[in-house]
Amino acid sequence: MTVPYKRILIAVLSALLLVATAASGGAATPPASPASGQQDFDWEIGTWRSTVRVLAEPLSESADTWLQFAGTSTVRPLLDRRANVVEFVVSGAAGSINALNMRLYEPQAQRWSLTFVNLRDGLLTPSVYGGFHNGAGEFYGDDQLAGRPIKVRFLIFRPGPDEARFEQAFSADGGTTWETNWLAVDRRTRR
């Protein structure tokens, strides 16, 4: 792990700790009940082999070129499993993607926020919010693409205990139509 990478990871984890402490008023918070959703991501803790397809130019006229990547995804629990961080490192002919996904459970809203960190530019994306229903995760949010507002949808499916599928889609028409731009399949390599 390089020094800049360690600094970014420490800053991200520190920010998560501050947010969780502020949300609890600085006092220790008792663990959430299993029905609350706090354990929704427990199944994902561990290391996964990731294969990824990324649409080269989302929401454009040339939306038929897909880039291929492969690598690892490592999920670590934080704050008594009220948060977790995904370290995502993949590469392919088009280059590499090094990113973090910070996930934080909001007990008052009984939902998760997912915030992506691109280590190339060091920026946080606007969060998507949601949870799991009938075994599938659904998360929605607002963002911008090339200066125009878009909707973002992030879906998680579990075809089996050691396999997961992640799909991201954008909408430029307020959620009427969606264009998938990210497809990842993860297979567990280690718990």
Side-chain angles (χ1 to χ4, degrees), residues 106-122:
E106 301 175 52
Q108 305 83 350
Q110 294 188 348
R111 69 179 186 177
W112 285 87
S113 63
L114 284 56
T115 308
F116 295 88
V117 181
N118 183 328
L119 297 181
R120 182 175 2 116
D121 58 21

Side-chain angles (χ1 to χ4, degrees), residues 78-152:
L78 302 168
L79 304 168
D80 194 28
R81 297 189 188 262
R82 288 176 288 168
N84 63 60
V85 65
V86 181
E87 181 180 351
F88 187 76
V89 179
V90 295
S91 60
S96 63
I97 302 171
N98 297 303
L100 294 174
N101 181 357
M102 301 181 303
R103 300 168 175 159
L104 182 62
Y105 185 69
E106 301 175 52
Q108 305 83 350
Q110 294 188 348
R111 69 179 186 177
W112 285 87
S113 63
L114 284 56
T115 308
F116 295 88
V117 181
N118 183 328
L119 297 181
R120 182 175 2 116
D121 58 21
L123 298 176
L124 298 172
T125 63
S127 299
V128 292
Y129 300 90
F132 286 82
H133 309 284
N134 299 321
E138 292 184 40
F139 306 86
Y140 295 89
D142 296 305
D143 202 344
Q144 289 192 12
L145 181 65
R148 65 181 168 162
I150 61 167
K151 297 279 186 193
V152 179

Side-chain angles (χ1 to χ4, degrees), residues 4-46:
Y5 180 76
K6 284 182 183 177
R7 287 183 186 145
I8 291 170
L9 184 58
I10 289 169
V12 166
L13 297 177
S14 297
L16 279 173
L17 182 59
L18 286 172
V19 168
T21 302
S24 68
T29 303
S33 67
S36 72
Q38 180 179 320
Q39 283 107 8
D40 282 349
F41 282 102
D42 283 3
W43 61 270
E44 197 183 6
I45 304 301

